Amino acid sequence: DFIISTWYNYHNLSEDLKQYYGDIIINLLTTALKSENKICSAPESSVKLMYLKTALQYIDAHICNSTLGVDGLAKHLGIKKRYLHEIFQSHGTSVGSVIRKKRLECCYETLSDKAMDCLSLTEIAYRWGFFSYTHFSRIFKDEYGKSPKQVRLENAKKKVHKLLWKLEEEYL
């Protein structure tokens, strides 16, 4: 009934609802076919790839939300948390790892942006969804081999060297 009702009312739905209902219908069909053992269970099935792509887009769009996690992501996709974990595991990673890595990348970019020098290291960590500066600093160093403070200092030194180079070129 849901699928038929959606079909007849499709033209009246907003783009967001079309996407949302489409995802639900795909999930319903996938679940039905899985229960009948008529769907490919290979890790690279088009359904899993579609969910992975949608999940990654959602993560990118909501990366600064500190509550971003498995629960909300699974709910957004209309799938069970276990299936979401399975999708990421089939690509050799986890939801948490992808979110953490993306947040660290955003922090690194912010630390490297001279327009963001006015932000403290703690503000940068909170801005990108980390709850604790200590935790952020530790995993940042694990990922990049240097602390957030070292990255900021290195970028400041590079800026000073560029400025000195420009001044030398102009006046010498």
Side-chain angles (χ1 to χ4, degrees), residues 77-107:
L77 294 171
I79 61 176
K80 298 211 179 280
K81 292 185 282 185
R82 193 179 104 235
Y83 186 57
L84 180 61
H85 285 298
E86 181 184 314
I87 291 167
F88 278 79
Q89 285 172 350
S90 70
H91 290 274
T93 191
S94 69
V95 177
S97 293
V98 170
I99 292 171
R100 184 173 44 257
K101 187 163 182 62
K102 181 68 177 171
R103 283 185 172 148
L104 288 171
E105 289 169 0
C106 291
C107 288

Side-chain angles (χ1 to χ4, degrees), residues 113-159:
D113 183 352
K114 73 177 184 177
M116 298 296 175
D117 283 350
C118 59
L119 296 176
S120 72
L121 300 175
T122 303
E123 287 174 310
I124 292 170
Y126 286 124
R127 175 175 280 203
W128 291 110
F130 290 100
F131 289 111
S132 159
Y133 176 76
T134 306
H135 172 71
F136 158 69
S137 182
R138 187 179 68 250
I139 65 172
F140 187 95
K141 188 169 185 174
D142 290 345
E143 180 72 21
Y144 296 107
K146 45 190 154 187
S147 70
K149 186 176 184 177
Q150 288 172 309
V151 170
R152 180 167 266 177
L153 288 173
E154 286 174 6
N155 286 312
K157 286 177 185 177
K158 287 178 188 175
K159 292 171 199 165

Side-chain angles (χ1 to χ4, degrees), residues 19 23 47-63 68-70 72-79 83-85 87-88 91 93-96 98-99 102:
Q19 177 68 40
D23 290 345
V47 174
K48 280 187 176 180
L49 288 174
M50 184 271 310
Y51 279 127
L52 180 65
K53 179 182 174 194
T54 306
L56 293 173
Q57 290 170 341
Y58 186 84
I59 289 169
D60 282 344
H62 297 87
I63 196 66
L68 176 64
V70 174
L73 186 54
K75 184 176 180 181
H76 171 75
L77 294 171
I79 61 176
Y83 186 57
L84 180 61
H85 285 298
I87 291 167
F88 278 79
H91 290 274
T93 191
S94 69
V95 177
V98 170
I99 292 171
K102 181 68 177 171

